[in-house]
Amino acid sequence: MTVWSRMAASLVKLPPPDTTDVSVERDLAAKMPDGTVLLADRWFPTQASDGRPTVLIRTPYGRHIIGPLGRLYAERGYQTVIQSCRGTFGSEGEWDPVRHEQADGQATLEWVAAQPWFDGRLVMWGGSYLGITQWAIAQDAPDFVKALGLQVTASNIRDAIVYPGGSFALEMALTWLHQIEHQELGWRAVLRAQLRGIRVLSAAADVLPLGKCDVAAIGRPSPPYQDWLEHSTPGDPWWDGIDFGRRLGKVPPASLIGGWYDLFLPSQVADYEALRAAGRTARLTIGPWTHASPGLFAETVRDGPEWFEEQLGDRAGHEPRAPVRVFVMGSRTWQEFSLWPPAGEAQQWYLGRWGTLDTAPPAESGPDRFHYNPHDPTPAVGGPSLNAITAGRKDQRRREHRHDVLTYTGPVLSEDLTVIGPLTATLYLRSSLEHTDFFVRLCDVSEKGRSVNLSDGIMRLLPGSVHKEDDGVFKLDVAMWPTANTFKAGHRIRLQVSSGAHPLFCRNLGSGEPLAVGATMRSADQEVFHDAAHPSCITLPVVRLLADEPL
């Protein structure tokens, strides 16, 4: 045990170590069916490593950066195998995101199973891309894969993080490309790139056409980025080979951990629901985190041994926790439930004249209007971003004062109101353009008037994608990020309606040109209806809490 590992274990609240004597074997070679060699490191208890279960972690981000976790888990009785994905950090082959993970993951499992130190029990751990490598083998996992630790990830990346709501997640794409481009240049170069990254990425996100943003961000065209832009049409078969959530009958027991401000969250929750519907063992934890929150990482490290021991039968006498555990913002409590979403009452809060939001249906009134100009795109200001600087809970007041953002605010609450679950905004709209976006955001407004974002939703409209009445009005149901929040007495509920959140989602140019080459910009005149015939509303899942566990 090192001083570092002792401090780290204390910070993340790991149980005491089984051993302090740990060894590591580096650059173990695993040959793939096509002859490509992938490299791995194995951390293990020096004494009696045989008979110890194996934790497999497959990563494109380097073995050394995750090595300290290998030591922490080895100190607690595991063999930890950390493998570099194809084309990264010494592994041979060409880096092609996600495309090789199914074949390489299955071959790696066979390689581990053939090692003399393998005891017949394997679990997998990791978040984001490391979670995708788990999903890649989950549908056909051999019986010796006993459990998965899936954090801030999803089985289908197209709908989860590339085209949520049909809109291209520009900030995610550029942030990730910038990280991958510089990660193997040494720590000094990585640090310099990170310091320059905020300015570089902000400028790159404003470049048109989108097909040139990668050059602005990393200095060269990126084949994965160009592929994503080229295959933007819903249902494009190009994505089929990297959709790993179609067959769930053999997926090993899975612990899913997400964050209320994480870009993967809606798809991750959908994965959990699909696993439970398929009769698989799964549990769900959601905290007040962004994709890169330190608290999220601590939770995932702590969750691993607990979940693995439970699935390996090594937690005799321990009562398993409830299947669903979520952090409720506002009240700052952890709550446990037997199902997701928890039982509650669906309340409709209706948009009304003068920017009101109320549980009473709206009275007769004319529509509200705003003008969306892609030359001056509506900024995101927080939300589920991959960019650690811009992500998460932010003050919305400057955004709400823009001419292209409508706000609808409820009365001051006389008592606490807790909302837990999925949200849907139902809007009656009219637009001057066939090609346009609508973006909604739920906010919590404090007694002092500070508005903070809780949940987002976006939908990109294409010609024929909605049914229009003779007057051009159409109904749009916008699925939003799930959330859990107690609106405290004295606070107010607010819904924003706009047509963008740049660069979180790429601005809609309004011209209908292909994403990669489009540069013609057309402004949109938007109308939001809220009358008896057009009851625009947001549906909130209101839950009564029986007990709480203070943070």
Side-chain angles (χ1 to χ4, degrees), residues 394 396 400 441-445 451-455 485 487 492-496:
K394 304 293 184 182
Q396 298 294 301
E400 291 169 353
R441 170 169 282 173
L442 178 68
C443 300
D444 186 343
V445 183
S451 175
V452 295
N453 51 304
L454 298 173
S455 168
N485 183 71
F487 294 88
R492 291 175 292 165
I493 301 170
R494 175 171 292 164
L495 184 71
Q496 298 178 10

Side-chain angles (χ1 to χ4, degrees), residues 460-518:
R460 174 150 293 197
L461 302 189
L462 303 172
S465 61
V466 293
H467 172 72
K468 295 183 178 181
E469 302 297 334
D470 292 340
D471 57 2
V473 177
F474 58 91
K475 177 183 176 183
L476 189 67
D477 291 318
V478 184
M480 302 175 68
W481 258 245
T483 194
N485 183 71
T486 296
F487 294 88
K488 304 293 287 184
H491 285 217
R492 291 175 292 165
I493 301 170
R494 175 171 292 164
L495 184 71
Q496 298 178 10
V497 180
S498 62
S499 281
H502 180 76
L504 187 61
F505 307 104
C506 75
R507 56 185 152 180
N508 196 319
L509 303 184
S511 61
E513 296 173 320
L515 283 180
V517 299

Side-chain angles (χ1 to χ4, degrees), residues 57-61 124-138 148-155 157 244 264 268:
I57 302 171
R58 303 191 62 247
T59 175
Y61 305 128
M124 296 186 71
W125 180 95
S128 196
Y129 195 99
L130 284 64
I132 294 170
T133 67
Q134 297 180 64
W135 271 114
I137 61 90
L148 305 176
L150 298 160
Q151 306 107 27
V152 288
T153 193
S155 63
I157 69 164
F244 304 124
F264 282 99
Q268 186 168 30

Side-chain angles (χ1 to χ4, degrees), residues 304-371:
E306 176 189 315
W307 177 246
F308 298 151
E309 289 171 13
E310 185 174 315
Q311 301 310 311
L312 295 171
D314 295 335
R315 284 179 64 83
H318 287 79
E319 186 71 22
R321 47 152 270 199
V324 177
R325 185 171 186 260
V326 301
F327 183 87
V328 182
M329 298 176 289
S331 63
R332 296 181 59 78
T333 62
W334 283 99
Q335 299 287 334
E336 293 192 348
F337 302 98
S338 60
L339 75 164
W340 176 270
E345 172 196 358
Q347 281 191 8
Q348 278 75 44
W349 285 68
Y350 295 95
L351 286 59
R353 71 169 72 189
W354 315 122
T356 59
L357 189 69
D358 201 279
T359 54
E364 293 301 319
S365 63
D368 295 320
R369 298 177 174 87
F370 67 94
H371 181 77

Side-chain angles (χ1 to χ4, degrees), residues 248 270-282:
L248 304 178
D271 283 337
Y272 171 77
E273 293 178 300
L275 286 171
R276 293 301 296 259
R280 309 310 296 163
T281 299

